[in-house]
Amino acid sequence: MRYVYMMNKEGIDMPVILRLISSCVGISKEAGKIIRDIMYKGELGVIQKGTGGENDPQTEADRQAQKLIISVLTRDFPKLKIVGEEDDIKLEPNLTGNWISEEILSLKPTPELETIKEEELTVWVDPLDGTTEFTWGAVDHVTVLIGVAYKDRPIGGVIHQPFYKAIKGDPNLSAGRTLWAIRGLGYGGFEAKSPPENELIIAGTKSHKSVTTQKALESTGATTLISHSGAGAKAMLVLEGKAHCYLHASPGLKRWDTCAPEAILTEIGGKVTDILGDPYNYAASVHPMCSRGAILAHTPTIHASILSKLPDDVKDIFRNK
């Protein structure tokens, strides 16, 4: 059976982008419940994805969350192009759940949004961002990331934080929170705050440290450097004004890490590019690696300042990637 949410509660037909983001919000919450349940049971089922001895874990929570997300999206939006982090995850063909957000369906679409066709959209899915930290029990860093691209650029995004105010054993979907945005329609699930004036707080990677990343961070003249795990969690620091910028001067990020955060950050007035100041292409055909790092800044002014301070020898490392 195929569930397609054609109408809102007033009986008005909804454009595909609103139906899609509505579904992404709903299934991200259900994926969050799956992640919590697996953590609370303690049966993580950890395997290593990497072949070169690097620490690249995958858990049962990663597998089950992606299975749910992509099964629902494939069932309800068969013309979508979907790119998920986890390989070789079998879909569930007999899924009968119906997960939506009435809040999204109540929005009034812009003329641009009304013309978008399903086959023009690409969805980038990270079912559990912060897997390493998840295996350590550092669950505050864990997010579910679902980004939607139109004409190769982010147009909508969902970040679900499963363990936000979660109570162990709570079977309900009341735990966690879900941040979302749609181009031209605004955002929800959080309060966008400006970062402190007369300070410069930069969030950097905790798991991809190197001489280059440290040099890049120090070049910004930051008053405070935050070493934090999880791309989604660091993006939320910027969204909520707890950091001015998330600077990732390493090729470790993937497009499923950045698509949703970029969509949301852009909608609140921020700017996201690679280390050289160029935008990322989110077509389904491109390699998922963000090989030129990333700058996620709260405003274009902050972005321009960070970009101008990065040393040429740091930028040169990324020019041919």
Side-chain angles (χ1 to χ4, degrees):
M1 182 180 294
R2 182 183 177 205
Y3 293 78
V4 181
Y5 318 116
M6 296 299 296
M7 299 181 181
N8 63 11
K9 59 185 178 181
E10 281 78 34
I12 300 172
D13 287 348
M14 289 287 99
V16 64
I17 186 63
L18 294 190
R19 293 189 281 111
L20 176 58
I21 298 297
S22 169
S23 181
C24 289
V25 168
I27 56 178
S28 73
K29 293 180 181 180
E30 182 66 17
K33 180 178 181 296
I34 290 172
I35 292 168
R36 287 195 302 273
D37 288 348
I38 290 173
M39 169 56 76
Y40 295 153
K41 289 176 182 177
E43 300 172 356
L44 302 190
V46 182
I47 63 172
Q48 286 292 334
K49 296 188 291 184
T51 58
E54 69 272 22
N55 184 36
D56 190 11
Q58 180 196 83
T59 70
E60 185 65 16
D62 295 86
R63 296 186 286 272
Q64 291 301 321
Q66 177 157 310
K67 182 178 181 179
L68 170 78
I69 293 167
I70 297 186
S71 293
V72 172
L73 294 180
T74 300
R75 180 196 69 187
D76 295 346
F77 305 93
K79 296 179 182 179
L80 276 183
K81 295 177 284 291
I82 305 173
V83 185
E85 177 176 6
E86 311 305 336
D87 294 328
D88 302 321
I89 304 297
K90 292 184 179 180
L91 302 185
E92 175 51 67
N94 299 315
L95 203 64
T96 58
N98 187 353
W99 298 281
I100 63 171
S101 165
E102 292 289 354
E103 179 185 16
I104 303 299
L105 292 179
S106 69
L107 298 173
K108 183 178 180 180
T110 64
E112 178 194 25
L113 298 180
E114 290 182 320
T115 64
I116 294 175
K117 299 178 181 178
E118 186 175 311
E119 58 268 28
E120 296 177 312
L121 297 170
T122 300
V123 178
W124 291 85
V125 178
D126 188 342
L128 197 166
D129 181 50
T131 299
T132 298
E133 291 70 31
F134 180 70
T135 65
W136 297 341
V139 295
D140 288 345
H141 301 271
V142 171
T143 56
V144 178
L145 305 175
I146 309 177
V148 180
Y150 169 62
K151 293 184 177 179
D152 306 336
R153 297 290 299 142
I155 194 169
V158 174
I159 301 175
H160 179 69
Q161 192 177 13
F163 294 95
Y164 182 77
K165 296 185 178 180
I167 300 173
K168 185 174 181 178
D170 180 4
N172 300 313
L173 294 180
S174 56
R177 62 169 175 166
T178 308
L179 292 64
W180 61 267
I182 303 173
R183 186 194 299 168
L185 292 189
Y187 58 90
F190 70 105
E191 182 180 355
K193 295 182 179 180
S194 298
E197 296 182 6
N198 304 317
E199 293 185 55
L200 181 58
I201 305 170
I202 305 294
T205 179
K206 194 172 186 178
S207 56
H208 296 89
K209 288 184 177 180
S210 68
V211 173
T212 299
T213 60
Q214 194 61 29
K215 185 174 184 178
L217 289 169
E218 292 175 354
S219 73
T220 64
T223 56
T224 303
L225 292 174
I226 301 175
S227 182
H228 206 67
S229 299
K234 287 190 284 288
M236 288 192 296
L237 292 177
V238 180
L239 288 167
E240 297 186 302
K242 298 175 183 178
H244 294 73
C245 177
Y246 163 28
L247 176 60
H248 194 104
S250 117
L253 285 176
K254 310 294 194 305
R255 281 165 169 79
W256 46 68
D257 295 317
T258 59
C259 187
E262 180 171 352
I264 302 174
L265 188 55
T266 301
E267 190 61 20
I268 72 164
K271 185 171 182 177
V272 178
T273 69
D274 64 21
I275 289 294
L276 302 179
D278 297 322
Y280 273 112
N281 182 321
Y282 289 94
S285 58
V286 303
H287 193 283
M289 181 71 75
C290 295
S291 57
R292 291 184 172 182
I295 304 171
L296 292 81
H298 196 271
T299 67
T301 300
I302 295 171
H303 181 280
S305 176
I306 298 299
L307 184 62
S308 69
K309 293 176 181 177
L310 291 175
D312 286 339
D313 60 341
V314 169
K315 292 179 180 178
D316 287 344
I317 294 173
F318 296 93
R319 291 192 194 279
N320 296 320
K321 292 184 179 293

